[in-house]
Amino acid sequence: LNEYFDDIFNKLTIEHNPLNLKGLLEQIIKGLSFHAADSKNKLSLHLSNGLDLAVKGDKTRLSQILNNLITNALKFTQEGNVDVKVELLGQVRNKVKIYFEVKDSGIGIAPENQEKIFNDFDQVRPTFSTKYGGTGLGLSITRKLLKLMGGNIALESQVGKGSKFFFELEFEVAEQELAVIQEVKSKS
C-alpha cells in the first residue's frame, strides 16, 4: 500500500500560479473557526509584515497542508489555543522565503512517537483513531507534499504541553508584484 501512495505522489505536479498568500491564510482560518469554536479553542493567525504580496505557488496543495496541520491541532486540543504564525524570512531577487508554524496547547506527542506520526497509517496509539478519528495518513501526506514543494516539516512537542509543527517554503514573487516593488524602489 505504501508503494501505491508513493506512486501517486511521484505523479503529482506542483502548480506555480499567482496566489494571494495573506488572503489564502485568512480564508483558511475563517473556514476552520467554527471547528475551533466547537472544540472550545481559540484559533488565531499571526502574520508578519510583507505578506500581502502575490506569489506563485500551488494554492490547493498549500491549503491542504495548512488545513491538515490546523485541523490536527484543533482535534488534539480541548479548550486551548491554536496559533498559526506565518513570517516573511527574506527576499532575494524574485524569490521569498516564508516560515509557517502551527502551534497548539494540546495533548502533545512523546519523543518516541514524533517520527512515527509521519508514517502512512500510523498513529501514536491504536485507541487514537477511536477517540480522535482519522486514518493516520494526514501527516504522511503533508510531509510528502512539502517535499514536492521543496520543503520539509519539523516538530517540537512535549506531552501535556502541546505541539509545534513548522516548515519553510520558497515562492517566486508574481510578476505584477515585482513590477510594483521595483517601481517603489526607484521612487525612493
Side-chain angles (χ1 to χ4, degrees):
L1 200 50
N2 288 347
E3 291 170 6
Y4 173 75
F5 284 110
D6 288 340
D7 189 44
I8 289 172
F9 278 95
N10 290 335
K11 292 177 182 173
L12 283 179
T13 57
I14 299 300
E15 302 207 0
H16 297 281
N17 296 320
L19 68 96
N20 175 331
L21 194 56
K22 182 179 176 187
L24 175 66
L25 294 162
E26 289 170 345
Q27 179 183 2
I28 290 169
I29 296 299
K30 184 178 179 183
L32 292 173
S33 63
F34 296 109
H35 185 48
D38 286 346
S39 55
K40 298 180 180 150
N41 286 312
K42 181 182 176 197
L43 176 61
S44 58
L45 176 63
H46 309 275
L47 300 173
S48 73
N49 291 332
L51 284 174
D52 52 347
L53 54 92
V55 296
K56 287 187 179 180
D58 194 321
K59 179 180 179 178
T60 303
R61 306 285 183 237
L62 185 58
S63 295
Q64 186 176 1
I65 291 164
L66 291 169
N67 271 302
N68 182 53
L69 291 175
I70 298 166
T71 302
N72 276 355
L74 292 169
K75 184 191 314 185
F76 293 103
T77 304
Q78 288 295 315
E79 297 184 39
N81 299 309
V82 175
D83 298 309
V84 180
K85 176 181 170 185
V86 184
E87 185 178 339
L88 177 64
L89 296 178
Q91 179 173 351
V92 177
R93 293 186 199 88
N94 68 334
K95 302 266 186 186
V96 290
K97 187 172 270 196
I98 299 176
Y99 171 83
F100 297 84
E101 174 184 297
V102 177
K103 184 176 182 180
D104 66 63
S105 61
I107 63 172
I109 304 160
E112 65 272 13
N113 293 320
Q114 290 182 10
E115 187 57 34
K116 182 179 179 181
I117 62 170
F118 292 104
N119 297 333
D120 294 339
F121 301 109
D122 238 339
Q123 294 183 334
V124 173
R125 290 192 290 258
T127 56
F128 272 33
S129 63
T130 306
K131 185 174 181 179
Y132 296 103
T135 60
L137 277 173
L139 289 173
S140 171
I141 290 170
T142 295
R143 176 179 262 177
K144 289 174 183 177
L145 287 174
L146 280 167
K147 283 187 179 184
L148 284 172
M149 296 172 77
N152 194 17
I153 192 162
L155 84 125
E156 295 172 2
S157 186
Q158 282 188 297
V159 174
K161 296 191 177 189
S163 301
K164 176 172 79 170
F165 289 83
F166 54 98
F167 59 93
E168 294 176 7
L169 287 174
E170 191 173 82
F171 295 92
E172 185 179 336
V173 178
E175 275 143 44
Q176 69 270 21
E177 205 58 51
L178 274 176
V180 170
I181 291 168
Q182 289 169 350
E183 185 178 317
V184 169
K185 283 182 181 176
S186 67
K187 288 181 180 179
S188 46

